[in-house]
Amino acid sequence: YERVGDVQGQAREASLGDPKAAMASYQKALSIRESLARRKITPTDVMRELVPNHGKLSDLYFAMNDNKASLEQSRAGLAICERLIALPGATRLDRMRLASNYLDYGYKQALPGGDRKAGIEYCRKALGMFDELGREEPSNPRLLRNFALGYDRTGELLATDPAARTEAIAMYRNGLAIKNRLLAADPNNTDYRRLAAYSNLDLGKLLAGAGDPQSAARHS
């Protein structure tokens, strides 16, 4: 059901563009997994599968401008991550998943209509975890990609406050540096190239707005 939902209307990838059908499929997958979790059939594995299930529903609600439902799904996924990390058999992947969910929940919470301050703190918590994980696995491309996106999203939130502009610029620069590392290792990766291009564009706009056109031009 989840894979059918991806094809029907996954919010982050190419799909058939049918979000209502995707929503129904994701909800069905979620219902089945929750039923399995209640029966205690391989509960840890099912819990781990519930996290992306909630995440896809959150992204789909977000794309449909239902921010309240999106935040509820993100929070549900985060709660499961926090439970998993407290278990004796918690893995490094569980920690990375928790960091990613801190970032997702924090970013969505900090948007207009939410709790900006609390959301940014969740994002900072995610960055701290990514930094710690990065020291343990400095060449993990998935981890580095998420770390870079963490800098981008936190920088985006900070950039809306003129008093935090300097820190926002630093966040974007840190994210771009990581993307350039990924590109150096895999120069033909179109995903990394696209992400780096957006970072340059966003950083250039921020620098121009800060009154530094020469630095901005270097990122255009």
Side-chain angles (χ1 to χ4, degrees):
Y1 277 108
E2 184 178 323
R3 290 182 180 180
V4 168
D6 290 344
V7 173
Q8 290 168 323
Q10 219 265 40
R12 293 181 182 269
E13 303 289 344
S15 69
L16 296 176
D18 190 346
K20 290 185 178 180
M23 185 74 69
S25 294
Y26 288 151
Q27 291 284 10
K28 182 66 175 178
L30 183 66
S31 177
I32 293 170
R33 284 177 171 137
E34 288 178 336
S35 175
L36 288 171
R38 286 192 296 270
R39 296 176 192 174
K40 302 185 182 302
I41 298 174
T42 57
T44 303
D45 291 341
V46 174
M47 285 170 66
R48 289 186 174 120
E49 291 173 1
L50 279 166
V51 175
N53 203 154
H54 281 296
K56 289 178 180 181
L57 278 167
S58 177
D59 288 341
L60 197 54
Y61 278 122
F62 190 77
M64 297 169 70
N65 298 313
D66 189 341
N67 291 348
K68 181 180 178 181
S70 175
L71 198 60
E72 288 173 353
Q73 290 293 331
S74 182
R75 177 61 210 174
L78 176 56
I80 295 171
C81 288
E82 291 174 330
R83 287 171 58 196
L84 284 166
I85 205 69
L87 295 176
T91 67
R92 187 173 293 164
L93 184 58
D94 288 327
R95 291 162 59 204
M96 187 164 75
R97 191 179 289 116
L98 176 61
S100 297
N101 277 265
Y102 275 141
L103 178 64
D104 182 75
Y105 181 72
Y107 177 79
K108 289 169 179 173
Q109 187 183 39
L111 293 174
D115 188 335
R116 171 185 165 82
K117 182 178 179 180
I120 290 175
E121 285 307 307
Y122 273 110
C123 291
R124 292 189 191 281
K125 188 180 292 189
L127 290 175
M129 290 191 70
F130 283 136
D131 185 48
E132 181 181 322
L133 287 161
R135 292 196 190 100
E136 298 172 10
E137 290 188 280
S139 301
N140 184 325
R142 179 181 173 189
L143 171 60
L144 291 174
R145 186 184 187 280
N146 288 347
F147 195 4
L149 291 176
Y151 276 125
D152 288 351
R153 291 191 174 184
T154 309
E156 178 188 340
L157 296 172
L158 292 170
T160 61
D161 179 4
R165 183 176 289 165
T166 299
E167 187 181 8
I169 290 171
M171 290 282 180
Y172 276 117
R173 281 180 167 151
N174 288 340
L176 181 58
I178 293 174
K179 291 171 190 175
N180 286 336
R181 281 175 57 195
L182 288 168
L183 271 173
D186 189 2
N188 295 320
N189 189 302
T190 55
D191 176 52
Y192 299 159
R193 290 168 67 89
R194 176 180 57 83
L195 291 174
Y198 278 119
S199 282
N200 276 298
L201 179 63
D202 291 337
L203 181 55
K205 288 180 179 178
L206 194 56
L207 288 165
D212 189 354
Q214 290 185 338
S215 295
R218 290 196 289 272
H219 293 280
S220 62

PDB file of all heavy atoms in Angstrom, residues 145-169:
ATOM      1  N   ARG A 145      24.081  14.223   3.414  1.00  0.00           N
ATOM      2  CA  ARG A 145      22.994  14.907   2.696  1.00  0.00           C
ATOM      3  C   ARG A 145      21.975  15.455   3.691  1.00  0.00           C
ATOM      4  O   ARG A 145      21.534  16.611   3.579  1.00  0.00           O
ATOM      5  CB  ARG A 145      22.315  13.941   1.732  1.00  0.00           C
ATOM      6  CG  ARG A 145      21.268  14.579   0.825  1.00  0.00           C
ATOM      7  CD  ARG A 145      20.587  13.517  -0.036  1.00  0.00           C
ATOM      8  NE  ARG A 145      19.701  14.099  -1.016  1.00  0.00           N
ATOM      9  CZ  ARG A 145      18.467  14.522  -0.774  1.00  0.00           C
ATOM     10  NH1 ARG A 145      17.970  14.425   0.456  1.00  0.00           N
ATOM     11  NH2 ARG A 145      17.722  15.035  -1.740  1.00  0.00           N
ATOM     12  N   ASN A 146      21.591  14.642   4.676  1.00  0.00           N
ATOM     13  CA  ASN A 146      20.629  15.103   5.670  1.00  0.00           C
ATOM     14  C   ASN A 146      21.199  16.238   6.521  1.00  0.00           C
ATOM     15  O   ASN A 146      20.485  17.175   6.890  1.00  0.00           O
ATOM     16  CB  ASN A 146      20.213  13.936   6.567  1.00  0.00           C
ATOM     17  CG  ASN A 146      19.317  12.943   5.866  1.00  0.00           C
ATOM     18  OD1 ASN A 146      18.797  13.221   4.784  1.00  0.00           O
ATOM     19  ND2 ASN A 146      19.112  11.791   6.465  1.00  0.00           N
ATOM     20  N   PHE A 147      22.489  16.145   6.833  1.00  0.00           N
ATOM     21  CA  PHE A 147      23.151  17.194   7.606  1.00  0.00           C
ATOM     22  C   PHE A 147      23.104  18.517   6.834  1.00  0.00           C
ATOM     23  O   PHE A 147      22.774  19.576   7.398  1.00  0.00           O
ATOM     24  CB  PHE A 147      24.600  16.764   7.866  1.00  0.00           C
ATOM     25  CG  PHE A 147      25.312  17.543   8.943  1.00  0.00           C
ATOM     26  CD1 PHE A 147      24.671  18.515   9.696  1.00  0.00           C
ATOM     27  CD2 PHE A 147      26.649  17.281   9.209  1.00  0.00           C
ATOM     28  CE1 PHE A 147      25.340  19.216  10.701  1.00  0.00           C
ATOM     29  CE2 PHE A 147      27.330  17.969  10.200  1.00  0.00           C
ATOM     30  CZ  PHE A 147      26.682  18.946  10.940  1.00  0.00           C
ATOM     31  N   ALA A 148      23.406  18.447   5.546  1.00  0.00           N
ATOM     32  CA  ALA A 148      23.377  19.653   4.714  1.00  0.00           C
ATOM     33  C   ALA A 148      21.980  20.258   4.657  1.00  0.00           C
ATOM     34  O   ALA A 148      21.802  21.479   4.761  1.00  0.00           O
ATOM     35  CB  ALA A 148      23.872  19.329   3.305  1.00  0.00           C
ATOM     36  N   LEU A 149      20.975  19.406   4.495  1.00  0.00           N
ATOM     37  CA  LEU A 149      19.599  19.901   4.460  1.00  0.00           C
ATOM     38  C   LEU A 149      19.200  20.496   5.811  1.00  0.00           C
ATOM     39  O   LEU A 149      18.413  21.446   5.866  1.00  0.00           O
ATOM     40  CB  LEU A 149      18.651  18.761   4.080  1.00  0.00           C
ATOM     41  CG  LEU A 149      18.769  18.254   2.637  1.00  0.00           C
ATOM     42  CD1 LEU A 149      17.846  17.065   2.415  1.00  0.00           C
ATOM     43  CD2 LEU A 149      18.443  19.354   1.643  1.00  0.00           C
ATOM     44  N   GLY A 150      19.757  19.950   6.889  1.00  0.00           N
ATOM     45  CA  GLY A 150      19.496  20.517   8.208  1.00  0.00           C
ATOM     46  C   GLY A 150      20.000  21.945   8.308  1.00  0.00           C
ATOM     47  O   GLY A 150      19.314  22.834   8.831  1.00  0.00           O
ATOM     48  N   TYR A 151      21.196  22.177   7.791  1.00  0.00           N
ATOM     49  CA  TYR A 151      21.731  23.541   7.768  1.00  0.00           C
ATOM     50  C   TYR A 151      20.854  24.457   6.910  1.00  0.00           C
ATOM     51  O   TYR A 151      20.564  25.599   7.285  1.00  0.00           O
ATOM     52  CB  TYR A 151      23.163  23.546   7.230  1.00  0.00           C
ATOM     53  CG  TYR A 151      24.219  23.233   8.254  1.00  0.00           C
ATOM     54  CD1 TYR A 151      25.129  22.196   8.059  1.00  0.00           C
ATOM     55  CD2 TYR A 151      24.330  23.998   9.411  1.00  0.00           C
ATOM     56  CE1 TYR A 151      26.123  21.919   8.988  1.00  0.00           C
ATOM     57  CE2 TYR A 151      25.317  23.733  10.350  1.00  0.00           C
ATOM     58  CZ  TYR A 151      26.214  22.697  10.134  1.00  0.00           C
ATOM     59  OH  TYR A 151      27.197  22.425  11.061  1.00  0.00           O
ATOM     60  N   ASP A 152      20.424  23.948   5.764  1.00  0.00           N
ATOM     61  CA  ASP A 152      19.599  24.756   4.862  1.00  0.00           C
ATOM     62  C   ASP A 152      18.283  25.169   5.516  1.00  0.00           C
ATOM     63  O   ASP A 152      17.888  26.339   5.460  1.00  0.00           O
ATOM     64  CB  ASP A 152      19.286  23.976   3.577  1.00  0.00           C
ATOM     65  CG  ASP A 152      20.482  23.820   2.673  1.00  0.00           C
ATOM     66  OD1 ASP A 152      21.518  24.461   2.941  1.00  0.00           O
ATOM     67  OD2 ASP A 152      20.391  23.053   1.702  1.00  0.00           O
ATOM     68  N   ARG A 153      17.609  24.196   6.098  1.00  0.00           N
ATOM     69  CA  ARG A 153      16.290  24.491   6.674  1.00  0.00           C
ATOM     70  C   ARG A 153      16.399  25.412   7.885  1.00  0.00           C
ATOM     71  O   ARG A 153      15.570  26.314   8.061  1.00  0.00           O
ATOM     72  CB  ARG A 153      15.582  23.189   7.041  1.00  0.00           C
ATOM     73  CG  ARG A 153      15.168  22.389   5.820  1.00  0.00           C
ATOM     74  CD  ARG A 153      14.246  21.247   6.190  1.00  0.00           C
ATOM     75  NE  ARG A 153      13.745  20.577   4.995  1.00  0.00           N
ATOM     76  CZ  ARG A 153      12.861  19.588   5.007  1.00  0.00           C
ATOM     77  NH1 ARG A 153      12.359  19.180   6.163  1.00  0.00           N
ATOM     78  NH2 ARG A 153      12.463  19.030   3.893  1.00  0.00           N
ATOM     79  N   THR A 154      17.412  25.186   8.697  1.00  0.00           N
ATOM     80  CA  THR A 154      17.594  26.064   9.851  1.00  0.00           C
ATOM     81  C   THR A 154      17.965  27.470   9.389  1.00  0.00           C
ATOM     82  O   THR A 154      17.461  28.467   9.929  1.00  0.00           O
ATOM     83  CB  THR A 154      18.681  25.509  10.788  1.00  0.00           C
ATOM     84  OG1 THR A 154      18.407  24.128  11.078  1.00  0.00           O
ATOM     85  CG2 THR A 154      18.726  26.288  12.091  1.00  0.00           C
ATOM     86  N   GLY A 155      18.813  27.547   8.376  1.00  0.00           N
ATOM     87  CA  GLY A 155      19.164  28.856   7.820  1.00  0.00           C
ATOM     88  C   GLY A 155      17.964  29.566   7.237  1.00  0.00           C
ATOM     89  O   GLY A 155      17.811  30.790   7.391  1.00  0.00           O
ATOM     90  N   GLU A 156      17.098  28.811   6.573  1.00  0.00           N
ATOM     91  CA  GLU A 156      15.885  29.408   6.001  1.00  0.00           C
ATOM     92  C   GLU A 156      15.009  30.027   7.089  1.00  0.00           C
ATOM     93  O   GLU A 156      14.472  31.132   6.924  1.00  0.00           O
ATOM     94  CB  GLU A 156      15.103  28.331   5.241  1.00  0.00           C
ATOM     95  CG  GLU A 156      13.804  28.828   4.639  1.00  0.00           C
ATOM     96  CD  GLU A 156      12.962  27.706   4.049  1.00  0.00           C
ATOM     97  OE1 GLU A 156      13.528  26.623   3.756  1.00  0.00           O
ATOM     98  OE2 GLU A 156      11.739  27.896   3.901  1.00  0.00           O
ATOM     99  N   LEU A 157      14.862  29.323   8.195  1.00  0.00           N
ATOM    100  CA  LEU A 157      14.046  29.845   9.293  1.00  0.00           C
ATOM    101  C   LEU A 157      14.686  31.076   9.929  1.00  0.00           C
ATOM    102  O   LEU A 157      14.011  32.068  10.212  1.00  0.00           O
ATOM    103  CB  LEU A 157      13.845  28.758  10.353  1.00  0.00           C
ATOM    104  CG  LEU A 157      13.057  27.526   9.921  1.00  0.00           C
ATOM    105  CD1 LEU A 157      13.097  26.449  11.010  1.00  0.00           C
ATOM    106  CD2 LEU A 157      11.609  27.872   9.593  1.00  0.00           C
ATOM    107  N   LEU A 158      15.993  31.024  10.132  1.00  0.00           N
ATOM    108  CA  LEU A 158      16.692  32.145  10.758  1.00  0.00           C
ATOM    109  C   LEU A 158      16.696  33.376   9.863  1.00  0.00           C
ATOM    110  O   LEU A 158      16.686  34.513  10.355  1.00  0.00           O
ATOM    111  CB  LEU A 158      18.132  31.748  11.090  1.00  0.00           C
ATOM    112  CG  LEU A 158      18.306  30.707  12.198  1.00  0.00           C
ATOM    113  CD1 LEU A 158      19.753  30.222  12.248  1.00  0.00           C
ATOM    114  CD2 LEU A 158      17.892  31.276  13.545  1.00  0.00           C
ATOM    115  N   ALA A 159      16.701  33.164   8.556  1.00  0.00           N
ATOM    116  CA  ALA A 159      16.807  34.279   7.611  1.00  0.00           C
ATOM    117  C   ALA A 159      15.611  35.223   7.668  1.00  0.00           C
ATOM    118  O   ALA A 159      15.699  36.367   7.204  1.00  0.00           O
ATOM    119  CB  ALA A 159      16.979  33.748   6.186  1.00  0.00           C
ATOM    120  N   THR A 160      14.505  34.774   8.226  1.00  0.00           N
ATOM    121  CA  THR A 160      13.318  35.646   8.320  1.00  0.00           C
ATOM    122  C   THR A 160      13.446  36.661   9.458  1.00  0.00           C
ATOM    123  O   THR A 160      12.607  37.553   9.574  1.00  0.00           O
ATOM    124  CB  THR A 160      12.047  34.809   8.535  1.00  0.00           C
ATOM    125  OG1 THR A 160      12.150  34.080   9.772  1.00  0.00           O
ATOM    126  CG2 THR A 160      11.853  33.826   7.382  1.00  0.00           C
ATOM    127  N   ASP A 161      14.476  36.505  10.285  1.00  0.00           N
ATOM    128  CA  ASP A 161      14.719  37.443  11.383  1.00  0.00           C
ATOM    129  C   ASP A 161      15.976  38.243  11.064  1.00  0.00           C
ATOM    130  O   ASP A 161      17.083  37.681  11.048  1.00  0.00           O
ATOM    131  CB  ASP A 161      14.909  36.661  12.695  1.00  0.00           C
ATOM    132  CG  ASP A 161      15.200  37.562  13.884  1.00  0.00           C
ATOM    133  OD1 ASP A 161      15.190  38.802  13.726  1.00  0.00           O
ATOM    134  OD2 ASP A 161      15.450  37.022  14.982  1.00  0.00           O
ATOM    135  N   PRO A 162      15.865  39.556  10.816  1.00  0.00           N
ATOM    136  CA  PRO A 162      17.049  40.355  10.479  1.00  0.00           C
ATOM    137  C   PRO A 162      18.170  40.235  11.507  1.00  0.00           C
ATOM    138  O   PRO A 162      19.351  40.270  11.152  1.00  0.00           O
ATOM    139  CB  PRO A 162      16.497  41.782  10.420  1.00  0.00           C
ATOM    140  CG  PRO A 162      15.053  41.611  10.096  1.00  0.00           C
ATOM    141  CD  PRO A 162      14.632  40.356  10.782  1.00  0.00           C
ATOM    142  N   ALA A 163      17.820  40.048  12.768  1.00  0.00           N
ATOM    143  CA  ALA A 163      18.832  39.942  13.810  1.00  0.00           C
ATOM    144  C   ALA A 163      19.617  38.634  13.722  1.00  0.00           C
ATOM    145  O   ALA A 163      20.713  38.524  14.292  1.00  0.00           O
ATOM    146  CB  ALA A 163      18.183  40.058  15.192  1.00  0.00           C
ATOM    147  N   ALA A 164      19.071  37.654  13.030  1.00  0.00           N
ATOM    148  CA  ALA A 164      19.734  36.344  12.917  1.00  0.00           C
ATOM    149  C   ALA A 164      20.333  36.133  11.533  1.00  0.00           C
ATOM    150  O   ALA A 164      20.728  35.010  11.198  1.00  0.00           O
ATOM    151  CB  ALA A 164      18.746  35.230  13.234  1.00  0.00           C
ATOM    152  N   ARG A 165      20.431  37.189  10.737  1.00  0.00           N
ATOM    153  CA  ARG A 165      20.885  37.045   9.347  1.00  0.00           C
ATOM    154  C   ARG A 165      22.308  36.502   9.263  1.00  0.00           C
ATOM    155  O   ARG A 165      22.613  35.651   8.426  1.00  0.00           O
ATOM    156  CB  ARG A 165      20.791  38.393   8.633  1.00  0.00           C
ATOM    157  CG  ARG A 165      21.169  38.316   7.156  1.00  0.00           C
ATOM    158  CD  ARG A 165      20.963  39.671   6.496  1.00  0.00           C
ATOM    159  NE  ARG A 165      19.549  39.975   6.363  1.00  0.00           N
ATOM    160  CZ  ARG A 165      19.079  41.208   6.100  1.00  0.00           C
ATOM    161  NH1 ARG A 165      19.911  42.227   6.001  1.00  0.00           N
ATOM    162  NH2 ARG A 165      17.790  41.405   5.962  1.00  0.00           N
ATOM    163  N   THR A 166      23.198  36.977  10.131  1.00  0.00           N
ATOM    164  CA  THR A 166      24.583  36.507  10.097  1.00  0.00           C
ATOM    165  C   THR A 166      24.665  35.007  10.353  1.00  0.00           C
ATOM    166  O   THR A 166      25.393  34.276   9.666  1.00  0.00           O
ATOM    167  CB  THR A 166      25.431  37.252  11.145  1.00  0.00           C
ATOM    168  OG1 THR A 166      25.419  38.651  10.841  1.00  0.00           O
ATOM    169  CG2 THR A 166      26.868  36.753  11.138  1.00  0.00           C
ATOM    170  N   GLU A 167      23.894  34.533  11.325  1.00  0.00           N
ATOM    171  CA  GLU A 167      23.885  33.102  11.605  1.00  0.00           C
ATOM    172  C   GLU A 167      23.252  32.330  10.455  1.00  0.00           C
ATOM    173  O   GLU A 167      23.699  31.225  10.115  1.00  0.00           O
ATOM    174  CB  GLU A 167      23.133  32.806  12.897  1.00  0.00           C
ATOM    175  CG  GLU A 167      23.234  31.345  13.314  1.00  0.00           C
ATOM    176  CD  GLU A 167      22.480  31.019  14.579  1.00  0.00           C
ATOM    177  OE1 GLU A 167      21.745  31.870  15.092  1.00  0.00           O
ATOM    178  OE2 GLU A 167      22.623  29.871  15.058  1.00  0.00           O
ATOM    179  N   ALA A 168      22.219  32.896   9.840  1.00  0.00           N
ATOM    180  CA  ALA A 168      21.579  32.237   8.694  1.00  0.00           C
ATOM    181  C   ALA A 168      22.572  32.058   7.552  1.00  0.00           C
ATOM    182  O   ALA A 168      22.626  30.998   6.916  1.00  0.00           O
ATOM    183  CB  ALA A 168      20.376  33.050   8.229  1.00  0.00           C
ATOM    184  N   ILE A 169      23.368  33.089   7.292  1.00  0.00           N
ATOM    185  CA  ILE A 169      24.385  32.999   6.236  1.00  0.00           C
ATOM    186  C   ILE A 169      25.380  31.894   6.564  1.00  0.00           C
ATOM    187  O   ILE A 169      25.762  31.096   5.692  1.00  0.00           O
ATOM    188  CB  ILE A 169      25.097  34.355   6.060  1.00  0.00           C
ATOM    189  CG1 ILE A 169      24.135  35.378   5.442  1.00  0.00           C
ATOM    190  CG2 ILE A 169      26.346  34.212   5.194  1.00  0.00           C
ATOM    191  CD1 ILE A 169      24.659  36.798   5.420  1.00  0.00           C
TER     192      ILE A 169
END
